């Protein structure tokens, strides 16, 4: 297989897996990733194979799967059963939006968000992929790229997931033919270009047979890239946010002996004692006189540390305000434009009154426009314009997934309605 989107570094060394509890927290990092695929593309089997072959399945779990498989007349364990139990719970009416799995190898810890594949669960993929650094989009080698594949790619692009894997599954059912794999990769590449995806890594797999899932396959010697698990172990994660503009949403104000401490998590950038800061939305300025991290005085702090600040002046700072440094400040606006995925069963219409929750701030708003749509119903993707009662300090979602995201909440019962990704466009800052 040739082409710029395919990994060029081959590996023949099997990944060494162990239980999560055996891996010291200080020696490895963590990758959050999500899986998505159409119904019957084999996603349950792929997740089961990944857990089984990385030795992340408890003995009693495996024995239960073997018993059920034998009762069905199957000669080998049906690894899909490792996750199908959660699907049965959904069918019984238990609310489980996304099934999370935790496992580890000697190289990395993993948090896997296993999202449902049917179109009616689009909102569940949005939930699972919203914090993911990698998404595995599964395709059946017999069917190629289908409508749901394109939908999953669109969601990954919308959420700005940094890394995409196109897992072409069931290669055993097309004779492990390279031309079938290349055909699907070429088709997906066309859609990826339309969506402005930064790139993707295609991997041919057979979840049922275990080819290229944890270990390299001997039946596809034309493929020069790594097995799926090795790619998951080596993809860069957790980019350094300390060099980004400083964003400190205030979560709590603590008063002690006439001194105010402003507590929260530094979501990007760095802060140092002596830095001049601006408080949004008031625009008041001051200087940092003290930083407390984990109960200890510090001269500086870096994202994503949790900390408390002391300022030189008695400013009117409260929960929901954002503290920044330097000239690169967020846009202060009451007119919010965004791409959205509607999550609730009740529709969203122009004129609806909602609450906007952005970082630690909650403000009232009204829906001004839905980009020509009469309404948004559950799982709909669309574009929205809001008018808020108070200004919000926003970054473009393309620049920050933390300060460029928000949710809409029903003010009557607190139910989550819509997930939004800010698109500042040419609007600029205005209140």
């Amino acid at each position: 297989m040739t082409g710029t989107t395919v990994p060029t570094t081959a590996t023949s060394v099997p990944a060494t897996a162990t239980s999560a509890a055996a891996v010291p927290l200080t020696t490895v990092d963590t990758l959050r990733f999500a899986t998505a695929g159409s119904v019957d593309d084999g996603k349950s089997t792929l997740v089961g194979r990944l857990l089984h072959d990385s030795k992340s399945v408890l003995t009693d779990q495996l024995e239960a799967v073997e018993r059920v498989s034998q009762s069905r007349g199957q000669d080998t364990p049906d690894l899909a059963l490792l996750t199908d139990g959660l699907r049965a719970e959904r069918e019984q009416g238990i609310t489980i939006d996304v099934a999370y799995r935790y496992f580890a190898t000697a190289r990395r810890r993993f948090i896997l968000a296993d999202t449902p594949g049917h179109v009616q669960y689009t909102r569940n993929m949005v939930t699972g992929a919203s914090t993911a650094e990698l998404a595995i989009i599964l395709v059946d080698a017999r069917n190629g790229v289908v409508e749901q594949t394109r939908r999953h790619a669109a969601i990954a692009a919308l959420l700005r997931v940094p890394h995409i894997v196109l897992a072409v599954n069931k290669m055993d059912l097309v004779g492990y033919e390279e031309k079938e794999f290349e055909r699907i990769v070429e088709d997906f590449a066309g859609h990826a270009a339309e969506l402005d995806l930064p790139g993707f890594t295609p991997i041919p797999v057979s979840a049922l047979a275990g080819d290229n899932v944890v270990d390299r396959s001997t039946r596809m010697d034309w493929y020069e890239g790594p097995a799926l698990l090795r790619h998951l172990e080596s993809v860069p994660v957790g980019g350094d946010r300390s060099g980004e503009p400083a964003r400190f949403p205030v979560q709590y104000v603590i008063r002690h002996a006439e001194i105010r401490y402003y507590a929260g998590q530094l979501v990007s950038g760095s802060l140092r004692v002596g830095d001049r800061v601006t408080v949004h939305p008031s625009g008041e300025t001051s200087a940092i006189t003290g930083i407390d991290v984990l109960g200890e005085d510090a001269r500086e702090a870096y994202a994503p540390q949790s900390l408390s600040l002391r300022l030189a002046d008695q400013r009117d700072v409260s929960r929901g305000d954002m503290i920044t440094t330097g000239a690169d400040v967020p846009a202060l606006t009451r007119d919010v434009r965004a791409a959205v995925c509607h999550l609730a069963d009740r529709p969203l219409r122009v004129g609806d009154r909602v609450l906007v929750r952005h970082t630690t701030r909650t403000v009232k708003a009204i829906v001004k426009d839905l980009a020509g749509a009469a309404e948004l119903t559950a799982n709909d993707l669309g574009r929205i314009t809001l008018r808020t009662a108070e200004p919000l300090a926003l970054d473009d979602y393309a620049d920050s997934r933390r300060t460029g995201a928000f949710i809409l909440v029903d003010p009557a019962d607190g139910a989550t309605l819509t997930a939004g990704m800010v698109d500042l466009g040419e609007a600029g800052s205005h209140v």
Side-chain angles (χ1 to χ4, degrees), residues 73-300:
Q74 297 170 297
D75 296 329
T76 57
D78 183 357
L79 298 180
L81 295 174
L82 289 171
T83 58
D84 277 350
L86 290 167
R87 282 176 178 76
E89 291 177 359
R90 288 194 189 98
E91 293 169 1
Q92 294 168 25
I94 298 175
T95 303
I96 302 177
D97 286 341
V98 181
Y100 288 95
R101 296 285 180 170
Y102 305 85
F103 66 102
T105 69
R107 296 179 177 88
R108 178 169 282 173
R109 289 176 177 265
F110 301 95
I111 302 175
L112 186 163
D114 183 20
T115 66
H118 197 278
V119 64
Q120 73 188 79
Y121 294 119
T122 297
R123 55 188 173 183
N124 302 61
M125 182 189 171
V126 170
T127 301
S130 62
T131 58
E133 294 178 276
L134 181 146
I136 299 174
I137 299 177
L138 205 67
V139 174
D140 187 325
R142 299 169 300 174
N143 302 328
V145 175
V146 296
E147 181 59 33
Q148 191 66 347
T149 310
R150 291 188 283 269
R151 192 174 183 84
H152 290 151
I155 293 171
L158 183 69
L159 294 173
R160 304 278 177 170
V161 179
H163 306 285
I164 306 296
V165 171
L166 177 68
V168 182
N169 191 28
K170 303 188 180 182
M171 288 298 297
D172 53 311
L173 299 183
V174 295
Y176 297 102
E177 289 290 336
E178 180 181 8
K179 64 180 181 181
E180 296 296 327
F181 177 64
E182 289 183 328
R183 174 181 60 81
I184 294 170
V185 171
E186 183 178 355
D187 190 6
F188 186 83
H191 295 291
E194 293 175 1
L195 296 168
D196 201 25
L197 279 174
F200 64 97
T201 301
I203 302 177
V205 303
S206 171
L208 186 64
D211 295 285
N212 285 337
V213 178
V214 170
D215 298 323
R216 281 285 305 278
S217 173
T218 59
R219 288 174 282 209
M220 289 179 280
D221 54 6
W222 45 264
Y223 172 69
E224 298 177 348
L228 176 61
L229 182 60
R230 181 54 60 88
H231 178 71
L232 296 178
E233 289 180 320
S234 60
V235 69
V237 300
D240 184 8
R241 285 183 270 166
S242 63
E244 299 174 359
R247 301 288 187 265
F248 182 68
V250 177
Q251 188 170 4
Y252 297 108
V253 178
I254 305 169
R255 294 174 175 83
H256 178 69
E258 303 300 322
I259 300 176
R260 291 185 178 186
Y261 299 82
Y262 306 108
Q265 183 186 44
L266 182 61
V267 298
S268 64
S270 60
L271 296 173
R272 295 172 178 81
V273 172
D275 280 352
R276 296 293 302 178
V277 299
T278 302
V279 181
H280 306 274
S282 69
E284 293 186 331
T285 61
S286 186
I288 298 175
T289 57
I291 300 175
D292 183 284
V293 179
L294 297 177
E296 300 290 338
D297 285 336
R299 297 295 302 174
E300 54 192 1

Side-chain angles (χ1 to χ4, degrees), residues 36-94:
S38 300
V39 176
D40 296 328
D41 277 355
K43 184 167 62 63
S44 293
T45 303
L46 178 68
V47 173
R49 174 64 67 183
L50 192 61
L51 296 172
H52 176 271
D53 288 9
S54 64
K55 300 178 177 63
S56 299
V57 181
L58 298 176
T59 302
D60 58 342
Q61 291 177 310
L62 185 58
E63 289 175 349
V65 167
E66 290 173 343
R67 285 195 301 271
V68 174
S69 300
Q70 290 172 2
S71 69
R72 295 179 177 179
Q74 297 170 297
D75 296 329
T76 57
D78 183 357
L79 298 180
L81 295 174
L82 289 171
T83 58
D84 277 350
L86 290 167
R87 282 176 178 76
E89 291 177 359
R90 288 194 189 98
E91 293 169 1
Q92 294 168 25
I94 298 175

Side-chain angles (χ1 to χ4, degrees), residues 285-325:
T285 61
S286 186
I288 298 175
T289 57
I291 300 175
D292 183 284
V293 179
L294 297 177
E296 300 290 338
D297 285 336
R299 297 295 302 174
E300 54 192 1
Y302 302 91
Q305 288 181 315
S306 294
L307 53 100
S308 62
L309 296 179
R310 299 188 300 278
L311 300 182
D313 308 288
Q314 291 290 334
R315 299 303 186 192
D316 183 15
V317 181
S318 58
R319 174 183 170 85
D321 288 348
M322 185 177 294
I323 296 175
T324 68
T325 63

Side-chain angles (χ1 to χ4, degrees), residues 397-413:
Y397 187 81
D399 298 325
S400 173
R401 295 174 78 189
R402 292 294 301 274
T403 54
F406 64 86
I407 60 171
L408 300 184
V409 174
D410 189 332
D413 58 12

